[in-house]
Amino acid sequence: SFLNKIVQSLNKVKKIFSKYDGMTPKIQQDLKDLGLEIIDGKTHTEIRIIDESRFEVSFAKTPSDKSRVGKNIVRDIKKTLL
């Protein structure tokens, strides 16, 4: 079902960002597999649905609070994209 796919996607996003310490090629590929793309800016990274620029999540390239950054990204993705 549709709701089941959202829950599965959210669980995958949580796993991807559980130990986040900066963007890696593996994370980029995992997000792409979920239909999300990475836009690498000068100071921030953005995640959005592929070919859909209306819904974006932006976060600093270099996380300052490494204990919270992954959880904050997941929260923002859940709120904005899922």
Side-chain angles (χ1 to χ4, degrees):
S1 73
F2 180 73
L3 184 57
N4 203 16
K5 287 182 183 181
I6 290 175
V7 170
Q8 287 176 348
S9 294
L10 181 59
N11 287 336
K12 289 177 184 177
V13 168
K14 285 180 183 178
K15 184 176 179 183
I16 291 168
F17 288 105
S18 64
K19 296 177 184 169
Y20 183 75
D21 191 24
M23 191 56 62
T24 65
K26 167 99 171 90
I27 292 174
Q28 288 181 345
Q29 185 59 51
D30 289 346
L31 292 171
K32 187 175 181 183
D33 292 345
L34 291 173
L36 302 172
E37 66 181 336
I38 305 301
I39 294 86
D40 202 16
K42 195 170 194 174
T43 60
H44 285 74
T45 301
E46 295 174 352
I47 298 174
R48 68 179 178 202
I49 297 170
I50 293 175
D51 296 328
E52 184 56 69
S53 61
R54 293 182 295 165
F55 307 103
E56 293 182 346
V57 173
S58 179
F59 52 94
K61 281 184 131 179
T62 54
S64 58
D65 184 359
K66 294 185 181 188
S67 65
R68 292 279 321 149
V69 69
K71 291 176 184 176
N72 291 343
I73 294 169
V74 170
R75 178 202 63 213
D76 293 346
I77 289 173
K78 181 180 176 183
K79 184 171 69 175
T80 306
L81 304 178
L82 302 175

